[in-house]
Amino acid sequence: MTLAALILALVTVQRLGELILSRYNTAKLLARGAIEIAPGHYPLIVATHAAWLIALWAWGRDQDVNFVALSVFILLQVFRLWVLATLGPRWTTRIIVLPDAPMVTSGPYRYLSHPNYAIVVAEIAVLPLALHLYLLALVFTVLNALVLSIRIRAETRALATVRERRP
């Protein structure tokens, strides 16, 4: 197994684990009265991320590794864990709003409205760069930007609605 294949295997396991965690958290939140907002775009997000991983496997599994870019990707995972830890049981890959819960304003949310999306934007570009797949980095950065433009608008509207209902 090449180093690139090992990296891709670890990222694939990580993403699958996150989907399991997300599904668990989503079920718990919905049981507490949360509602899902704008679920129609979710399959597009899943398809984009799945296509990114498939493309990385197809063209990157035997590539040499750029250790500078890989180091940046590893640092991004630290920030990803910070987001997960900050949101705890409220972290999910869907837009789930728990109407009576306070907004999260700690951790990375002190600095950015959507820190997870900033991390994902960087990851989508940096991992292909770590495998010398420059065109793949460009293509999926553009695709991800299009999907995130839909996602962030929907999430911003959902959060604004929650804020308006609060006393």
Side-chain angles (χ1 to χ4, degrees):
M1 176 181 271
T2 66
L3 178 57
L6 177 62
I7 292 164
L8 292 175
L10 290 171
V11 171
T12 301
V13 168
Q14 174 194 29
R15 295 306 200 255
L16 290 173
E18 287 175 357
L19 286 175
I20 292 167
L21 176 61
S22 174
R23 180 174 267 186
Y24 175 81
N25 286 346
T26 296
K28 291 286 215 179
L29 288 165
L30 293 175
R32 290 177 51 198
I35 54 171
E36 182 174 4
I37 306 294
H41 75 283
Y42 187 71
L44 187 57
I45 288 176
V46 172
T48 301
H49 287 256
W52 175 72
L53 269 175
I54 290 167
L56 286 169
W57 274 104
W59 290 292
R61 70 179 175 271
D62 294 323
Q63 294 284 66
D64 290 330
V65 175
N66 174 325
F67 288 99
V68 173
L70 179 60
S71 297
V72 172
F73 186 79
I74 291 168
L75 180 61
L76 289 168
Q77 300 321 293
V78 172
F79 288 117
R80 175 183 280 283
L81 289 172
W82 190 22
V83 168
L84 286 167
T86 300
L87 291 177
R90 291 174 62 182
W91 181 86
T92 175
T93 57
R94 297 177 175 269
I95 302 173
I96 305 292
V97 176
L98 192 57
D100 295 329
M103 295 290 295
V104 174
T105 57
S106 61
Y109 292 87
R110 280 183 290 215
Y111 310 106
L112 292 172
S113 298
H114 303 284
N116 195 60
Y117 302 148
I119 294 163
V120 170
V121 165
E123 288 175 333
I124 293 282
V126 170
L127 188 55
L129 294 177
L131 302 176
H132 304 280
L133 299 171
Y134 308 106
L135 182 59
L136 204 68
L138 177 64
V139 167
F140 279 96
T141 294
V142 170
L143 287 174
N144 188 53
L146 294 171
V147 172
L148 277 181
S149 70
I150 296 166
R151 170 71 173 228
I152 290 173
R153 278 196 307 267
E155 188 168 315
T156 301
R157 281 193 305 269
L159 294 174
T161 301
V162 169
R163 284 185 198 114
E164 288 172 8
R165 285 193 239 158
R166 300 232 162 97

